[in-house]
Amino acid sequence: MQEMDITGKRNIVSRRVRQARKAAHMTQEQLAARMQLHGVPIDQQAISKIEKNERSVCDYELLCLSDVLNVSLVWLVAEAK
């Protein structure tokens, strides 16, 4: 079963992940590779699905995204308006 909220969203970080990745001048593939170096098994397709709000994000992935993208967890989970 795929979890989502009442609006159909699978995560609240999709826009922020994309925004931070682009600000860091990283491709989705580069982001996935850096996360893999931190021990998180993820690929470019998963990053794409996260950014398109088609995939949930695990807590350990969220921590890694914050670290690799050099942004705070609070910023990452704050919904961009």
Side-chain angles (χ1 to χ4, degrees):
M1 178 170 105
Q2 300 221 354
E3 292 183 31
M4 61 182 79
D5 72 7
I6 59 172
T7 64
K9 293 181 180 180
R10 297 234 166 89
N11 69 66
I12 61 170
V13 300
S14 58
R15 284 188 230 154
R16 293 288 177 114
V17 169
R18 185 171 197 268
Q19 182 181 356
R21 178 182 59 78
K22 288 191 171 276
H25 306 288
M26 263 190 262
T27 65
Q28 291 176 343
E29 191 169 286
Q30 290 169 326
L31 176 55
R34 290 185 187 187
M35 290 180 69
Q36 289 169 13
L37 289 174
H38 282 78
V40 175
I42 197 164
D43 60 14
Q44 177 275 325
Q45 291 174 332
I47 299 295
S48 176
K49 287 181 179 182
I50 288 169
E51 290 184 1
K52 291 189 287 184
N53 209 348
E54 296 175 351
R55 179 185 180 279
S56 298
V57 182
C58 298
D59 53 0
Y60 65 89
E61 292 171 332
L62 190 60
L63 287 171
C64 187
L65 283 165
S66 173
D67 186 42
V68 169
L69 293 170
N70 197 32
V71 296
S72 73
L73 280 171
V74 171
W75 182 86
L76 200 56
V77 299
E79 287 194 77
K81 304 279 186 227

